[in-house]
Amino acid sequence: MAYGPPPGPGGYGSPPGGYGPPGGGGGYGAPPGGGYGGPPPAGSWGQGQSYGGGGGPIVQYSEKSRATAFLLGRYLGMFGADRFYRGQMGLGILKLLTCGGLGIWLIIDNILLALGEVTDEEGKLLAMPTEVAGTPVMNGNHILLAAMLGGTIGLDRFMLGQTGLGVLKLLTCGGLGVWHVIDIIITVTGGARDAQGNSLRWR
């Protein structure tokens, strides 16, 4: 018993409607909004580079380090060392002649340096630490300010979630001042970590 010839001269035919390219033959088309674009702008938060993430304005960073300026302002600011380093010679001389504005200008400059709100002679923000470990969450500027103003009572360590070290630092008055200085240097150079081992967020 024969099964007979296959149906129709075209064999079994093609699937209903065909499996043509999606979108009526137009392929998948171009990505929305004119393409996905290239990689983010070269540079990030390092020295002499820029950052324009999130579509915001590009921020130009100085070749000069905020860490160096801060340490100069902290320990030699009475002589205008931080202003000289930033290329602001006139302000440096004025700060020197007035002994840091009788100490008031010295305090204000140190707070601004800790918060990262200072520029060089060209108006560029000083370069921040670039080392990244884990997922930075805590604001490094705030931790640095806490280390500067309340480091002898362990305020910076408490803010980092390191309660045990905070208590020890409090009881020893910042390790008789030595631990206090070391923590300031570690923080401003980007080496401080929170209780989970994450580096600090500087911008």
Side-chain angles (χ1 to χ4, degrees):
M1 177 178 176
Y3 290 99
Y12 291 99
S14 57
Y19 290 97
Y28 291 101
Y36 294 105
S44 53
W45 304 341
Q47 295 184 349
Q49 297 176 340
S50 59
Y51 176 68
I58 294 178
V59 178
Q60 293 289 333
Y61 282 90
S62 172
E63 296 286 341
K64 296 174 181 175
S65 164
R66 195 273 295 267
T68 302
F70 176 85
L71 293 173
L72 288 172
R74 172 73 176 169
Y75 300 109
L76 295 172
M78 190 70 71
F79 310 106
D82 54 316
R83 293 286 182 170
F84 288 124
Y85 172 74
R86 289 156 59 188
Q88 300 168 343
M89 299 302 173
L91 292 175
I93 293 172
L94 184 58
K95 196 173 180 181
L96 170 62
L97 295 177
T98 61
C99 294
L102 300 180
I104 298 175
W105 189 359
L106 171 67
I107 293 171
I108 293 173
D109 266 359
N110 285 343
I111 292 174
L112 292 176
L113 282 163
L115 294 175
E117 300 297 331
V118 291
T119 59
D120 63 10
E121 75 279 10
E122 297 178 354
K124 297 178 181 178
L125 287 172
L126 301 185
M128 301 285 188
T130 57
E131 183 181 355
V132 176
T135 305
V137 175
M138 304 197 70
N139 190 310
N141 298 322
H142 296 167
I143 299 299
L144 179 57
L145 185 63
M148 181 181 75
L149 299 179
T152 54
I153 59 173
L155 181 59
D156 52 327
R157 291 290 181 170
F158 286 121
M159 289 179 65
L160 288 169
Q162 301 167 347
T163 306
L165 291 175
V167 171
L168 183 59
K169 199 172 179 184
L170 168 63
L171 296 177
T172 61
C173 294
L176 300 180
V178 177
W179 190 358
H180 177 209
V181 173
I182 291 173
D183 268 358
I184 286 177
I185 295 173
I186 290 174
T187 302
V188 76
T189 55
R193 301 288 183 268
D194 64 19
Q196 288 72 44
N198 301 312
S199 58
L200 304 183
R201 177 174 52 84
W202 294 102
R203 275 290 171 193

